[in-house]
Amino acid sequence: MHENEKIRQYFLSTQRTFEAVIVTGGTGESVLLDSLRSSGWNCTVSFPTQATSDIESICPLAVFIDLRVPHPSQVAKDVSSVSTEEVLIASIAEKHISEKRRRALAQSNIIHHVTWNTRDVSLFDYVGRLANRIRALPALFTVLDETDQAVEVCDEHRVVQYVNRAYENVTGCIRSEVIGQPESEMRRKSLPRARGEEERRRSSDWKFIRVPFANNSQFVYMKRSNTTGEAAIFRDVSLKSLKSQTGGIEAPISEVLTMLRDVSCRVDGEPAQTIKDAMKVLSSHELYAPSINRFRDADRIATQYYDGLIRLHHPARQRKRSVVDAHREKRGSHGERRRVSADVKNALENDNCWKFDILHLEKVSDHHALSQVGMKVFERWKVCEVLGCSDDLLNRWILSIEAHYHAGNTYHNATHAADVLQATSFFLDSPSVAIHVNESHAVAALLAAAVHDLDHPGRGNAYLINTRQSLAILYNDNSILENHHIALAFQLTLQHNANVNIFSNLSREEFIQMRHAMVEMVLATDISRHFEYLAKFNKMHVTDVAEEQRDTNSLTICDMLVKCADISNPAREWGLCQRWAHRIVEEYFEQTREEKEKGLPVTMEVFDRNTCNVPITQCGFIDMFAREAFATFTEFAKLGELSEQLESNYEKWKLMTSQWTPTHNTNLVL
C-alpha cells in the first residue's frame, strides 16, 4: 500500500474518543446514548443548571439539549457563550419536530435535531473525524514554521494557501503577499541551486507531494534540505522570465557567490558557517566600502578622520515613515486645484493608469506634458508638504526643469521625462512596493524621474567620449550624461537668482539625504550599469530586516523602480510602445549618420537608416535588458500584467521582422 494511502486509512479508520454533553433533566439513557458510546463518544449527562460549567471544563465537540428542559433556546445560547471552540449543538426529542420549530431553534445555534431512539450517529462521527484533523492543524502549522525546509501549499486551482517562515527566508517573498496568489515556478526557482546540474537534478530541488485527504486536489511543494541555511542570505536571484535565464550575462560577484554556495552544500560544521559568513559579506551593496570600527569609540582623532574623509554622509537614525504610513496620515488633505484647459484636464484624467497616453498630453498641452503631469503627480503625492515649499514654488521649479530639456530631440525630451515620472508614480502606487519605500525616497524618486535626462543632447555617452566633449572630460568618461543630468538639476535649483529652490526649507540633514537619494536614482539609469543594479535588487532581502536595512532596501527599490520606468516603453500599450520605439530609433539613426560623416567609431552599426530592421532592434532590446528587469520588478511589485504586455509587444515586433524593409525607416516620427 502507498504511504499516502496508509496515512489516509489511519485517519479514517482509527477510533477516537470524542466528548459530548447531554443536557437533560433525567438520566439520558437511551438508544441514542448507547449508539454514541459504541462509536467512541464519551458522553457526560448534565443538568441545565450545571451545563455551562461542565462544558467549560470538558470542552465537548457536541452538545445535545433535551427539548423537555426549561428554555432550551436559552441553554443553547449559554453553551455558545462559554465554548472556546466550535461546538455542534443539537436538540433531542421523543419524535421529529416541525420545520417551523427547527427554524426557531436555529436562531439559537441549534443546527441539528435527533430523536432519543435513533441509532444513526454517522453525522456526528464524521464531524468528530473532521474536528480531529482541524484540532491538529495549529500544532502542524507551528512545526512547519519552525522547520528549515521551505513549504508551499496550493489548492486544486494551484492558488497558494500557505507558506512557512523558511519559504519567506529563502525566496524573500512576504507570506501575506504570496497567499492567495497563483503558484509561481519562478518563485521556487529563486532558491539557490548548484550550477551545471542536469535538469532532472534541478527540478528535484522541490519535492512535489499530493495531499492524501483531498482526493488529490491539494498540493504541497517542499524544498529539499540540502540547500537550506545559506539561501536566507539572498533574495530571489531569478525572478527573471524563463527566456532570460539562458542569457550569458552575469556579474562576476554573482558567479563567485554561486561557487561558494556550491561549496557550502558539500561541507558541514565550522567550514560551512565560515563560507556562509563570507557570502553574507560579499552580498553587501557596498562591497569595497571600508567598515572601520576598531578605533571608532576609543580614538577621537581617528574617528574624526573617518567621519570627515571617509563617511561623508551621516544619516539620522530616526524611524522613517513608509509611503503607506505617510498617506494614511495625510488622507483627506487636498492641495489647491490648478487651472488647466479642458483638453489638458481630460488628457490627465487617467494619469494613474498604466495605459495613460502621455503623447496625447504632449499634443494638447503644446509640448508641456512634463509640467502638466508633474504638478498633478506632485499634488497627489503631497510633495509640497514633504519639502515644506509652496505649490507656486514647485510649479516654477518644474517649469524651469522642463525648459532645459531639448525640444528638438525626438526621444530624450521633456515628454520622455514626463513618461518616466508617470511610470514612477504608477509603480509607487503598488501596495507591494509602497510598504517597503519610505516617504522621502518616494519623493526623491518622483523628482529624480523628472530630471533624469535633463539637457540631454540626443547623443549617447560613447559619442561624447569619441568626440572628446567637455562633459566627457569633466566626468572622466564615467556615467557622463547621468552625472550631468543630476548635477545641472541641482545647479538650477540652488542658484540664488532663479527663485526655484524647492529644498530651501529642508534641514541640512534632510537636504543631504534627499540629494543623495536623487543622485543615486539618476545614476542608476545609466544603461551601462544595468546589470549591476539588477543584481543588487535581486540580492535584496526584505523579511525580518533591521531598521537600517529597511532604509537601504527602500533606496534599492527606488533605484530599480526609476530604472524600470526609464525603459518602460516596451511594456506600454502597443500603440504607445510602437510610437516610442520609432522616436528612439530616429534619434539613433541621426547619431549613426553623424558618426559616419565625422569618421568616428560607430556606436551601434545596427542603427543605420539604410539597413536597419527596427522590429529586430526592439526584440533585441527586450531580450537583453527589458524582459529580465520587468520580470524581476513586476513579480516583486505584483504587476504581472506589465510583463504580459511586454511579451505581447515582443511577439508583435517578432511578426513584423520578416516584412520590414529599409523603406519603412523614413518618416518614422510624424
Side-chain angles (χ1 to χ4, degrees):
M1 184 182 293
H2 191 276
E3 186 63 29
N4 284 349
E5 185 59 26
K6 289 180 182 178
I7 298 172
R8 175 182 173 84
Q9 292 300 323
Y10 173 78
F11 269 93
L12 291 179
S13 63
T14 302
Q15 290 292 320
R16 297 287 190 274
T17 298
F18 308 125
E19 295 290 342
V21 171
I22 316 296
V23 182
T24 180
T27 63
E29 294 302 326
S30 60
V31 174
L32 170 64
L33 214 60
D34 292 340
S35 300
L36 287 171
R37 285 170 176 160
S38 63
S39 292
W41 287 82
N42 183 29
C43 300
T44 301
V45 177
S46 178
F47 292 107
T49 53
Q50 65 186 55
T52 53
S53 60
D54 286 343
I55 289 167
E56 281 185 296
S57 61
I58 296 172
C59 297
L61 180 59
V63 174
F64 298 86
I65 301 176
D66 187 348
L67 292 183
R68 294 173 296 187
V69 303
H71 311 298
S73 294
Q74 185 58 49
V75 174
K77 291 179 181 178
D78 293 341
V79 168
S80 299
S81 67
V82 299
S83 297
T84 57
E85 299 182 23
E86 292 294 328
V87 60
L88 172 63
I89 304 178
S91 62
I92 319 175
E94 293 292 343
K95 59 182 180 179
H96 293 291
I97 59 176
S98 67
E99 189 62 33
K100 182 178 180 180
R101 182 80 189 276
R102 283 178 183 268
R103 288 197 296 270
L105 292 172
Q107 296 178 2
S108 305
N109 294 327
I110 300 176
I111 60 174
H112 190 60
H113 177 76
V114 292
T115 59
W116 285 105
N117 61 355
T118 186
R119 297 182 183 276
D120 184 8
V121 293
S122 57
L123 173 64
F124 304 108
D125 286 346
Y126 174 77
V127 170
R129 290 196 302 270
L130 186 63
N132 235 27
R133 298 181 195 173
I134 293 173
R135 286 177 174 176
L137 289 180
L140 292 175
F141 285 137
T142 300
V143 171
L144 285 174
D145 256 358
E146 292 301 319
T147 184
D148 290 334
Q149 289 178 275
V151 176
E152 178 186 88
V153 180
C154 303
D155 65 12
E156 68 273 17
H157 303 295
R158 300 300 176 99
V159 173
V160 179
Q161 293 179 304
Y162 169 82
V163 296
N164 65 346
R165 194 153 47 202
Y167 183 98
E168 291 183 306
N169 290 337
V170 296
T171 64
C173 299
I174 298 174
R175 183 181 303 183
S176 60
E177 296 175 353
V178 174
I179 292 175
Q181 299 297 317
E183 65 154 340
S184 169
E185 181 67 20
M186 290 184 185
R187 277 198 301 268
R188 290 195 292 276
K189 284 188 176 182
S190 72
L191 286 104
R193 57 172 64 94
R195 301 171 70 229
E197 290 185 342
E198 299 175 358
E199 184 63 30
R200 181 189 64 78
R201 283 289 305 278
R202 286 192 278 114
S203 65
S204 70
D205 280 350
W206 282 88
K207 182 179 181 181
F208 173 79
I209 305 170
R210 291 186 183 275
V211 179
F213 314 117
N215 294 322
N216 293 331
S217 63
Q218 196 176 37
F219 308 91
V220 174
Y221 294 91
M222 177 175 287
K223 184 72 177 71
R224 296 185 188 275
S225 59
N226 60 343
T227 55
T228 57
E230 80 282 358
I233 298 172
F234 304 97
R235 191 188 168 271
D236 192 336
V237 295
S238 60
L239 286 175
K240 64 191 89 169
S241 68
L242 297 179
K243 291 185 180 180
S244 294
Q245 290 188 30
T246 57
I249 301 172
E250 187 173 15
I253 188 64
S254 297
E255 294 187 28
V256 171
L257 289 169
T258 301
M259 288 187 282
L260 287 174
R261 281 201 301 271
D262 293 349
V263 174
S264 69
C265 294
R266 296 194 290 269
V267 297
D268 298 311
E270 188 175 342
Q273 187 58 50
T274 302
I275 292 173
K276 292 170 187 176
D277 292 341
M279 292 165 67
K280 191 170 185 178
V281 172
L282 291 173
S283 299
S284 167
H285 288 250
E286 301 296 337
L287 188 58
Y288 296 103
S291 179
I292 303 172
N293 51 35
R294 60 186 172 83
F295 54 70
R296 199 171 290 168
D297 298 323
D299 190 328
R300 183 172 59 88
I301 301 300
T303 298
Q304 291 187 14
Y305 270 133
Y306 176 78
D307 286 344
L309 300 179
I310 297 177
R311 191 171 68 96
L312 302 181
H313 300 291
H314 305 272
R317 297 297 182 187
Q318 71 269 23
R319 169 77 164 89
K320 297 182 180 179
R321 292 186 299 180
S322 70
V323 174
V324 174
D325 294 334
H327 277 262
R328 186 182 296 117
E329 293 175 19
K330 294 175 183 177
R331 190 176 296 161
S333 62
H334 300 282
E336 182 181 340
R337 296 290 180 184
R338 295 176 299 111
R339 295 181 181 179
V340 295
S341 70
D343 287 341
V344 171
K345 184 177 180 181
N346 290 335
L348 287 168
E349 190 66 32
N350 64 338
D351 72 293
N352 60 342
C353 299
W354 187 246
K355 292 185 178 181
F356 177 67
D357 191 344
I358 196 73
L359 298 181
H360 175 62
L361 178 62
E362 175 192 64
K363 180 179 178 180
V364 300
S365 66
D366 193 22
H367 294 269
H368 288 289
L370 178 57
S371 56
Q372 292 294 345
V373 78
M375 286 308 294
K376 187 172 183 188
V377 167
F378 293 159
E379 181 181 297
R380 184 165 69 250
W381 288 97
K382 312 299 180 188
V383 172
C384 287
E385 293 183 29
V386 176
L387 299 178
C389 69
S390 67
D391 188 76
D392 181 60
L393 176 58
L394 188 59
N395 189 45
R396 290 199 305 273
W397 179 82
I398 193 65
L399 288 171
S400 174
I401 294 299
E402 185 175 56
H404 284 80
Y405 275 91
H406 295 198
N409 293 345
T410 56
Y411 183 85
H412 288 102
N413 51 38
T415 304
H416 167 63
D419 184 53
V420 174
L421 174 58
Q422 188 271 337
T424 299
S425 176
F426 177 83
F427 291 151
L428 287 169
D429 257 335
S430 166
S432 299
V433 173
I435 195 67
H436 298 293
V437 175
N438 69 48
E439 183 184 22
S440 63
H441 284 162
V443 170
L446 297 171
L447 299 177
V451 306
H452 84 282
D453 271 334
L454 190 64
D455 194 38
H456 197 294
R459 301 292 183 265
N461 282 331
Y463 178 90
L464 299 184
I465 293 171
N466 291 331
T467 54
R468 301 176 185 176
Q469 296 284 318
S470 59
L471 286 177
I473 304 301
L474 177 63
Y475 293 113
N476 298 313
D477 298 345
N478 290 315
S479 299
I480 302 162
L481 286 172
E482 293 73 26
N483 274 301
H484 174 60
H485 301 324
I486 191 62
L488 179 61
F490 277 97
Q491 288 171 5
L492 294 173
T493 303
L494 300 179
Q495 58 186 352
H496 295 295
N497 58 349
N499 195 24
V500 293
N501 187 0
I502 56 176
F503 305 123
S504 59
N505 289 327
L506 295 181
S507 67
R508 183 183 303 277
E509 174 63 30
E510 289 169 337
F511 173 75
I512 289 173
Q513 291 182 3
M514 182 66 67
R515 173 170 159 75
H516 171 68
M518 288 179 63
V519 169
E520 175 72 17
M521 293 174 203
V522 173
L523 293 182
T525 64
D526 183 353
I527 199 70
S528 71
R529 300 179 66 188
H530 176 84
F531 299 101
E532 173 190 340
Y533 280 94
L534 184 58
K536 284 184 178 180
F537 183 79
N538 280 333
K539 290 177 175 61
M540 181 179 64
H541 189 42
V542 296
T543 57
D544 298 326
V545 294
E547 188 61 38
E548 186 175 354
Q549 186 61 44
R550 285 178 60 87
D551 198 51
T552 301
N553 286 349
S554 174
L555 186 56
T556 300
I557 292 167
C558 286
D559 287 344
M560 188 67 177
L561 184 148
V562 174
K563 168 175 278 300
C564 285
D566 189 30
I567 61 170
S568 64
N569 302 148
R572 292 286 191 177
E573 181 270 334
W574 170 243
L576 288 171
C577 166
Q578 199 172 22
R579 290 159 71 192
W580 277 119
H582 292 167
R583 288 189 175 207
I584 186 65
V585 166
E586 183 66 31
E587 208 169 272
Y588 286 157
F589 282 165
E590 287 302 299
Q591 176 173 314
T592 302
R593 177 191 59 77
E594 194 171 327
E595 286 171 335
K596 290 188 173 183
E597 288 178 355
K598 293 181 177 181
L600 298 169
V602 177
T603 306
M604 291 182 286
E605 184 72 44
V606 69
F607 289 105
D608 185 328
R609 193 187 298 271
N610 299 317
T611 59
C612 184
N613 186 310
V614 171
I616 287 179
T617 67
Q618 298 310 295
C619 288
F621 183 83
I622 292 172
D623 282 335
M624 188 164 188
F625 298 107
R627 176 182 288 115
E628 183 173 343
F630 267 81
T632 301
F633 180 74
T634 59
E635 177 122 1
F636 171 78
K638 300 247 182 312
L639 295 171
E641 64 274 13
L642 273 60
S643 284
E644 292 174 6
Q645 181 66 56
L646 182 142
E647 294 300 336
S648 172
N649 293 342
Y650 181 87
E651 294 303 323
K652 287 185 173 69
W653 285 122
K654 200 172 179 180
L655 288 173
M656 294 171 64
T657 56
S658 59
Q659 287 86 33
W660 194 272
T661 64
T663 57
H664 291 99
N665 295 336
T666 57
N667 301 318
L668 282 177
V669 181
L670 300 177

